Amino acid sequence: MSKFQRFLLKRLAISVLLTLVAVSVIFVVLRLLPGSPFEALVTSGNLNQEQIDEIRAMYGLDQSIWKQYINYLGSLLTFQFGYSILRSQPVWEVLEPRLINSLILLVPALVTTAILSSVLGMYAGWNRGSRLEKASIVSTTLLRSTPVFITAIFFIIVFAYNLEIVPALGMRSIRATPDGYLETFVSLDFLHHYLLPFTVAVLYYSGDFLLLARNGVVEKRGSEFLKLHRAKGLTEMEQLARAGRNSMLPILTYFTLRLGMIFQGLILLEVVFSWPGIGRELVLAIQQQDYPLVQAAVFIMALAVIIANLAADVLYAYFDPTVSTNGGGSA
Amino acid sequence: MTLLNVENLKVTYATDDETVHAVNDVSFSIDEGVNYGLAGESGSGKSTVAEALLGLLPGNGTVERGTIEFNGTDLTSLSEAERRDVLWEDIAYIPQSAMDSLDPVMSTGDQIAQAIHTHRNVTDAKARDRVRELFEIVGLDPDRIDNYPHEFSGGMRQRVTIAMALALEPDLIIADEPTTGLDVIVQDKIIDKILEIQERMDSSLLLITHEIGVIAETCDDLSILYGGKVMEQGSVDNVLVNPTNPYTMGLKNSFPEIDENEDPVAIPGSPPNLNREPTACVFEDRCPFATDECGESHPDLVDLPNRNHRSACHRVKEAAQLRRDADEPETWNIPDDGDADSDRGEVILETDALEKHYEQSQPLLSKLRGEDPDYVKAVDGVSLSVRRSEVLGVAGESGCGKSTLGETMALLEDPTGGDFMFDGEPYEYYRDGNLQEFRRKVQIIFQDPFDSLNPRQTVRKLVGEPLTIHDYRTDEKERAIVETLEKVGLTPAEKFLDQYPHELSGGQRQRVAVAKALVLDPDFLICDEPASMLDVSLKVNLLNLLRGLADAEDIGIVYISHDLASLMQVSDRLAIMYLGRVIEEGDVDRIASQPRHPYTSSLLSAAPEKDPTADRTRVLLEGEPPDPVDLPSGCAFAPRCPKAQGSCWEAEPAIDEIGDETHRAACYFPKGEEGLNASDASAVDETKFPESANTDSVGD
Ligand SMILES: Nc1ncnc2c1ncn2[C@@H]1O[C@H](COP(=O)(O)OP(=O)(O)O)[C@@H](O)[C@H]1O
Ligand code: SF4
Ligand code: SF4
Ligand SMILES: [Mg+2]
């Protein structure tokens, strides 16, 4: 087994362990929440005790907590999320389209901002002290420190209500009845709805990448190897590219981690824009104490984080020739 | 024909509160195919000159005036793009610190290929072929061109930068301290390589270094720089044999050499403040020959009659007399304490087969299977003893276990085997509850001691701190501090008590660091490369200080270094280490004049000499020391040994294989066995140029 394989195996094992822990935590926390999804139905008097017991049995809620836990583990880990209590629909059928909706908004936004802001950040760092550098730092810091829903509302007021360039809410107009993803996403109407939340997401993420890239380049700027590159006759831009390549690792790692946290980060954004994504769905499900739905949504989010962490480690090891892949054993 | 002509170059740096006049009207010219040396202490402006030539000055550096004519074109008047075409194609650069001059995330081969692609229109395959060829030329394995910098050792990285410099066969190679920080053997190999290649390609070389020994051996012409001014210039044979400038004389006298009986004489004081245009001779405040005239103007560089030799000194006419005086330590205000070889006292520290093995980390699976881990044998059976008033030098290449030995002797590392006695008590005595006592009696001084001084503490605080920690002489703290400061030559001590480290010169700071170690009146001092980053004059100061302490204070000292010349100056006895073992040990004079072990001979022959007329035969060692894991049975040096024979591989020679108490070595076929020392050709060549000859040469 090569060093790298060993490293990979170790990281995988850690990830599996983490997933188990995360899943268990979700289980415990949900059971600790006060009330149950049926209480509302019971207090409204629509169901009698017998019916309740029946339903509880149907959802397996009458079994011992251990039994429930085992069943729960079994089904989650095989991606059988069960039925949504309130929607009477398989959970996955509820979540799948919303997951896609979220991804279609957030992944392109994250990629765009990662590329644009990093390049801008590198350029700013190279021209340290220039007006561009100062302006970019001030504006991104401002954007980063403002809560995303405020930026979002501000954009809605300006571009949707005042200028009326784009619609304020939703993903498609109410009248649209698209069939299948292709029809949903490949349409001008969608693009129209897409622009505003996309822009806000791009701006929201830009600060971290910009600062990370700028700091990386500033730190590399006076280094000896760049002097040698300069002596070799590389142009300014080629030198900047080398400085950039040398500060890529933290950016790459950060990108991967951000990708994992993509759903959590912008739940509020989805809520403000009424974007039918997984974040907004989670908020609704929590309000309605729809256990299976919440469980599944949280599980998917946790899994994304864990997988992203794994990917970040592996990418790091792959891209940094100096990182030791034997798990830091050779101290 | 003149290749490079620098005329009245002036470079300044803008800093927050002042302008640094780093290079002041420097002129020199390099002919085609010539090796040109640029020497001087650090801060004299050598690197600034190089960077100005290459157009690599940092953002705050400006070329104020002057011309740099290369092959007839003035480089200072070129546009960015035009200059880029000249760089590397015509002028290549070997940077100062190979350790971090290579791009860490680009393979070494690609970095060289990049230089080729930037200037030539060639295919990738062609460029790769060229890189392989270059690797071969500089003595690297061509199959390693895809390796990254961190996979190479310091010396090998320097070879990569050399290969890069050769890629386009430039007319001029500028090498800025290409060997500083590398140990003698590697340094010697690198210099040899540069010379060999440069000869083959017939390019010119501008070699920048503070080691005039390296210049003496490799260059034809040189300039001596001080305070951004050229102090003396001309052919190496003239300048270094018969220096006419007091600074050159001082620099030359302070360069320690192995086969020299006199102690080197350091230039006292520190380099000038460059915050204004020089109005007096830049060397005035350190020069023992300064007169009123010297305070009025900096002397012009004047041609000396009939020879390639220029000097900037108002008293150049009296050069011969000055030269004679400069050899006397009194001239430089250094008391000559003579060679009072004080009697050595009783044995204070003794090790017997001392071992320090580190367990190598191993994979979980083999751990589960219970396989025996590998051990790195950093120190492997070292038996040494040090007496009071004695300085024991420990020498060896980097990685040979010197530092681990020092740390184990200081009990900063627990020995994994062997016996250890200090002051009559065994290791166990100290381990079980008496470590505090040991820590007071044994002090260790690390590499670059003044980096470790807290900048926010006054000298009083710094030196007093150990007293508080050890609750030693706390009732008369002030007196203890003052006494110690005076002991290390910081007089009057009261003047220094309230100063902060940044207000002191490099040499003074270093004395404070030594004072910190001495304030507890230790019985034993372990110094690990304390001078490796220092300029010659500071280095010599430190060596003299330690030597004096050993004699006057009755303490035992272990001095660890890769710099044999310094070791020879300071030590009574020498132990040569190779791969965790001592392979030769004995009195300094005997080892210097008659090394027995082949490894010692090559170490000795690798040290440069400052006398350009002396010839030295190089014994270049193949390869680098292997990792001290899984060593072959038999003599550990056998794979690199020029004299190895079949029997060497069978059993390991013990340290007392040959010789007696005063000089012993671990070798089956030692030097000097065949004929006696006269035939010892590969050791240091003894023929020295008669120093007094030609003293009547200048102006009288
Ligand atoms: N970037 C810089 N900013 C300000 N001062 C500098 C800078 N680089 C070098 N100096 C100063 O210029 C002088 C010459 O430095 P340098 O050329 O590096 O000398 P050397 O190479 O001989 O050690 C020193 O006094 C140093 O402190
Ligand atoms: S000019 Fe004066 S101060 Fe300068 S080196 Fe000569 S004698 Fe010394
Ligand atoms: S014992 Fe043999 S291999 Fe070892 S140093 Fe002596 S001659 Fe060389
Ligand atoms: Mg320098």
Side-chain angles (χ1 to χ4, degrees):
Chain A
M1 206 170 18
S2 79
K3 247 180 173 180
F4 190 71
Q5 284 169 321
R6 230 170 15 227
F7 163 78
L8 206 65
L9 216 67
K10 197 163 157 188
R11 286 300 132 111
L12 268 175
I14 293 176
S15 303
V16 169
L17 210 72
L18 275 177
T19 314
L20 273 178
V21 172
V23 167
S24 310
V25 169
I26 298 169
F27 181 82
V28 172
V29 169
L30 281 185
R31 305 300 128 156
L32 288 180
L33 288 178
S36 90
F38 305 101
E39 245 157 51
L41 299 176
V42 176
T43 42
S44 65
N46 290 342
L47 292 175
N48 61 30
Q49 191 56 44
E50 212 167 284
Q51 284 167 313
I52 291 174
D53 286 348
E54 209 172 293
I55 296 175
R56 283 180 66 92
M58 200 173 97
Y59 285 98
L61 294 178
D62 58 341
Q63 287 163 327
S64 77
I65 197 99
W66 282 113
K67 199 98 194 243
Q68 284 186 38
Y69 178 65
I70 299 293
N71 290 339
Y72 158 85
L73 275 191
S75 51
L76 264 198
L77 296 179
T78 50
F79 290 88
Q80 287 157 2
F81 299 126
Y83 274 82
S84 158
I85 293 177
L86 290 166
R87 292 183 191 248
S88 313
Q89 225 182 343
V91 165
W92 185 240
E93 270 176 35
V94 180
L95 281 185
E96 192 203 56
R98 303 203 157 66
L99 189 63
I100 302 287
N101 291 346
S102 284
L103 290 177
I104 218 104
L105 171 64
L106 298 176
V107 172
L110 192 61
V111 172
T112 309
T113 197
I115 295 173
L116 288 184
S117 327
S118 301
V119 170
L120 183 69
M122 286 173 189
Y123 191 77
W126 191 258
N127 296 294
R128 197 174 177 192
S130 66
R131 217 172 301 150
L132 172 87
E133 192 215 9
K134 285 177 194 143
S136 60
I137 288 180
V138 169
S139 52
T140 49
T141 312
L142 211 68
L143 277 169
R144 225 163 54 111
S145 49
T146 321
V148 66
F149 67 90
I150 295 194
T151 325
I153 291 173
F154 175 76
F155 270 64
I156 290 177
I157 293 176
V158 174
F159 294 100
Y161 293 133
N162 287 348
L163 300 176
E164 296 189 28
I165 302 174
V166 287
L169 302 174
M171 193 171 84
R172 295 297 307 262
S173 81
I174 321 164
R175 284 184 298 279
T177 48
D179 192 24
Y181 292 128
L182 201 68
E183 273 185 37
T184 315
F185 299 133
V186 186
S187 79
L188 268 180
D189 177 46
F190 172 74
L191 188 68
H192 216 194
H193 282 84
Y194 188 68
L195 275 176
L196 210 51
F198 175 79
T199 312
V200 174
V202 165
L203 288 178
Y204 175 72
Y205 286 129
S206 67
D208 294 343
F209 287 105
L210 188 130
L211 286 181
L212 215 53
R214 173 199 164 269
N215 292 346
V217 168
V218 164
E219 188 190 313
K220 298 281 163 353
R221 230 169 54 119
S223 63
E224 290 292 321
F225 69 81
L226 276 182
K227 189 150 120 197
L228 188 57
H229 278 319
R230 188 138 69 101
K232 274 194 284 192
L234 298 197
T235 62
E236 191 99 346
M237 279 303 130
E238 285 169 329
Q239 293 167 41
L240 170 54
R242 289 316 304 167
R245 170 65 186 86
N246 270 280
S247 31
M248 270 297 282
L249 269 185
I251 298 176
L252 198 70
T253 313
Y254 185 72
F255 173 78
T256 326
L257 294 179
R258 259 280 159 225
L259 199 63
M261 296 191 289
I262 196 164
F263 307 117
Q264 294 92 307
L266 291 181
I267 291 178
L268 279 175
L269 184 84
E270 292 187 357
V271 173
V272 174
F273 282 104
S274 300
W275 190 268
I278 190 169
R280 183 161 159 271
E281 191 60 29
L282 176 66
V283 173
L284 294 178
I286 289 176
Q287 276 169 3
Q288 296 160 355
Q289 294 186 334
D290 191 344
Y291 279 175
L293 201 57
V294 174
Q295 266 171 15
V298 174
F299 173 69
I300 289 173
M301 291 181 177
L303 201 62
V305 173
I306 289 165
I307 292 176
N309 269 308
L310 178 67
D313 278 348
V314 174
L315 281 178
Y316 199 96
Y318 186 76
F319 277 100
D320 182 2
T322 61
V323 83
S324 91
T325 41
N326 58 6
S330 61
Chain B
M1 219 192 89
T2 306
L3 180 69
L4 179 82
N5 189 25
V6 177
E7 202 89 48
N8 288 329
L9 183 68
K10 161 114 190 152
V11 183
T12 57
Y13 290 107
T15 64
D16 284 343
D17 35 40
E18 58 189 23
T19 307
V20 179
H21 295 255
V23 172
N24 301 302
D25 298 308
V26 165
S27 307
F28 63 95
S29 68
I30 305 181
D31 284 348
E32 264 172 28
V34 151
N35 290 349
Y36 199 95
L38 211 51
E41 290 171 279
S42 67
S44 57
K46 306 182 297 290
S47 297
T48 307
V49 169
E51 286 168 12
L53 295 183
L54 291 156
L56 294 180
L57 285 173
N60 63 340
T62 338
V63 176
E64 300 271 338
R65 57 172 180 264
T67 54
I68 303 167
E69 222 162 76
F70 179 77
N71 261 338
T73 36
D74 184 8
L75 294 183
T76 53
S77 66
L78 295 185
S79 73
E80 264 303 297
E82 287 167 330
R83 185 191 276 282
R84 274 202 298 275
D85 288 339
V86 175
L87 286 179
W88 226 262
E89 182 73 59
D90 299 320
I91 308 179
Y93 172 57
I94 300 176
Q96 182 155 7
S97 41
M99 258 350 211
D100 34 46
S101 287
L102 292 171
D103 194 328
V105 298
M106 193 174 188
S107 76
T108 47
D110 283 352
Q111 296 188 44
I112 300 176
Q114 186 189 37
I116 302 174
H117 284 305
T118 305
H119 297 274
R120 304 271 165 88
N121 219 342
V122 295
T123 59
D124 274 344
K126 274 241 176 70
R128 267 183 85 83
D129 286 345
R130 175 71 178 145
V131 174
R132 290 180 67 93
E133 194 181 307
L134 289 165
F135 261 53
E136 208 140 353
I137 294 177
V138 298
L140 291 169
D141 178 1
D143 290 331
R144 295 192 61 183
I145 61 172
D146 289 322
N147 285 24
Y148 285 88
H150 73 275
E151 293 167 276
F152 292 103
S153 69
M156 289 158 96
R157 279 186 226 187
Q158 196 57 281
R159 282 164 195 264
V160 172
T161 60
I162 294 171
M164 198 183 294
L166 300 176
L168 304 175
E169 312 214 330
D171 298 334
L172 174 67
I173 297 176
I174 298 179
D176 189 357
E177 311 240 14
T179 57
T180 305
L182 304 175
D183 57 52
V184 264
I185 289 207
V186 183
Q187 161 174 321
D188 198 40
K189 283 202 279 192
I190 296 280
I191 293 287
D192 190 59
K193 202 84 229 175
I194 294 181
L195 286 180
E196 174 202 319
I197 293 163
Q198 187 253 349
E199 195 130 309
R200 212 159 79 190
M201 302 202 336
D202 207 27
S203 53
S204 300
L205 174 72
L206 174 60
L207 180 68
I208 296 173
T209 176
H210 64 251
E211 303 231 15
I212 56 171
V214 171
I215 290 189
E217 290 202 346
T218 56
C219 293
D220 310 306
D221 295 339
L222 91 168
S223 288
I224 306 262
L225 235 52
Y226 182 78
K229 283 273 185 197
V230 175
M231 298 301 285
E232 191 159 6
Q233 192 171 67
S235 78
V236 167
D237 291 338
N238 290 336
V239 175
L240 290 186
V241 176
N242 288 309
T244 57
N245 192 292
Y247 180 62
T248 318
M249 297 171 196
L251 202 61
K252 184 182 168 199
N253 284 341
S254 60
F255 188 77
E257 230 171 33
I258 288 172
D259 56 348
E260 197 175 61
N261 293 323
E262 286 160 47
D263 281 342
V265 179
I267 310 173
S270 50
N273 193 341
L274 298 173
N275 61 4
R276 60 198 156 84
E277 193 86 45
T279 49
C281 172
V282 284
F283 191 49
E284 190 206 1
D285 51 358
R286 292 170 81 187
C287 180
F289 309 119
T291 60
D292 289 346
E293 194 187 2
C294 305
E296 280 153 24
S297 66
H298 183 80
D300 292 329
L301 202 58
V302 292
D303 275 307
L304 302 181
N306 301 333
R307 40 174 64 220
N308 176 10
H309 197 170
R310 285 166 292 284
S311 174
C313 174
H314 289 302
R315 298 182 62 182
V316 69
K317 294 214 161 55
E318 305 155 62
Q321 180 58 41
L322 300 188
R323 192 153 52 230
R324 238 164 283 140
D325 292 345
D327 282 343
E328 302 302 323
E330 293 82 12
T331 310
W332 302 85
N333 237 334
I334 299 164
D336 187 7
D337 42 14
D339 272 326
D341 243 343
S342 62
D343 301 327
R344 302 180 203 170
E346 84 273 22
V347 171
I348 174 145
L349 186 140
E350 193 168 12
T351 69
D352 184 21
L354 191 70
E355 275 178 15
K356 177 68 196 176
H357 293 185
Y358 292 102
E359 199 174 303
Q360 273 208 320
S361 68
Q362 62 180 151
L364 187 68
L365 214 58
S366 355
K367 264 189 198 147
L368 289 178
R369 285 210 209 102
E371 285 170 19
D372 281 334
D374 280 337
Y375 287 98
V376 179
K377 298 178 177 167
V379 174
D380 195 21
V382 169
S383 308
L384 288 173
S385 65
V386 189
R387 297 170 177 276
R388 283 181 185 277
S389 305
E390 180 178 64
V391 180
L392 171 73
V394 177
E397 282 169 278
S398 50
C400 73
K402 308 183 292 285
S403 293
T404 312
L405 177 64
E407 283 164 20
T408 313
M409 278 181 163
L411 295 187
L412 295 174
E413 295 278 355
D414 295 327
T416 49
D419 288 326
F420 173 92
M421 288 279 266
F422 175 76
D423 212 5
E425 303 283 351
Y427 162 58
E428 288 77 16
Y429 166 81
Y430 294 106
R431 184 192 56 193
D432 302 332
N434 294 300
L435 212 52
Q436 184 80 357
E437 175 192 341
F438 184 81
R439 294 261 178 273
R440 184 185 76 66
K441 288 185 177 165
V442 177
Q443 295 291 321
I444 184 161
I445 300 174
F446 291 105
Q447 197 158 350
D448 306 321
F450 50 79
D451 269 353
S452 58
L453 298 182
N454 182 343
R456 273 181 255 293
Q457 290 187 338
T458 58
V459 169
R460 181 200 315 269
K461 258 244 166 69
L462 286 166
V463 179
E465 197 177 26
L467 294 176
T468 321
I469 295 174
H470 286 272
D471 195 15
Y472 183 73
R473 294 179 75 177
T474 23
D475 43 336
E476 39 165 19
K477 211 164 163 180
E478 189 86 6
R479 234 184 80 206
I481 297 172
V482 170
E483 269 174 29
T484 318
L485 288 179
E486 275 166 4
K487 222 184 272 175
V488 299
L490 291 173
T491 44
E494 286 73 17
K495 189 177 135 224
F496 293 97
L497 281 177
D498 292 310
Q499 291 196 305
Y500 287 91
H502 69 91
E503 296 169 311
L504 304 174
S505 74
Q508 289 169 336
R509 263 182 283 182
Q510 196 191 32
R511 278 162 192 262
V512 172
V514 177
K516 252 186 97 148
L518 285 181
V519 70
L520 293 169
D521 298 327
D523 294 318
F524 202 77
L525 206 53
I526 297 171
C527 311
D528 189 359
E529 302 267 15
S532 68
M533 308 298 274
L534 295 176
D535 273 317
V536 262
S537 54
L538 292 182
K539 189 183 281 182
V540 170
N541 273 329
L542 179 72
L543 295 181
N544 290 343
L545 174 65
L546 290 176
R547 181 68 258 176
L549 284 171
D551 295 341
E553 306 288 324
D554 252 12
I555 57 183
I557 296 182
V558 169
Y559 189 96
I560 299 170
S561 175
H562 66 246
D563 178 5
L564 262 181
S566 315
L567 281 169
M568 295 279 176
Q569 289 308 326
V570 73
S571 318
D572 299 302
R573 277 187 314 125
L574 209 55
I576 314 279
M577 272 184 92
Y578 187 74
L579 288 180
R581 290 160 227 203
V582 172
I583 50 95
E584 181 156 2
E585 193 226 311
D587 289 341
V588 163
D589 302 338
R590 302 213 24 200
I591 292 190
S593 60
Q594 206 182 336
R596 308 298 301 272
H597 198 283
Y599 179 66
T600 311
S601 323
S602 40
L603 269 185
L604 285 172
S605 74
E609 291 188 50
K610 67 188 173 195
D611 186 342
T613 52
D615 251 340
R616 160 167 89 86
T617 326
R618 294 204 161 114
V619 184
L620 294 180
L621 277 183
E622 289 294 315
E624 310 205 0
D627 263 347
V629 190
D630 269 342
L631 288 177
S633 59
C635 176
F637 187 57
R640 298 169 82 191
C641 182
K643 305 179 74 186
Q645 302 185 15
S647 53
C648 299
W649 295 84
E650 276 154 28
E652 192 189 334
I655 176 71
D656 45 12
E657 186 61 42
I658 46 152
D660 50 30
E661 271 300 286
T662 50
H663 185 186
R664 47 199 189 144
C667 176
Y668 296 126
F669 308 104
K671 292 237 145 206
E673 211 80 319
E674 316 89 49
L676 274 169
N677 48 350
S679 71
D680 218 7
S682 53
V684 181
D685 198 324
E686 304 277 312
T687 45
K688 277 204 77 183
F689 199 82
E691 298 244 13
S692 52
N694 275 348
T695 36
D696 55 348
S697 53
V698 184
D700 46 10

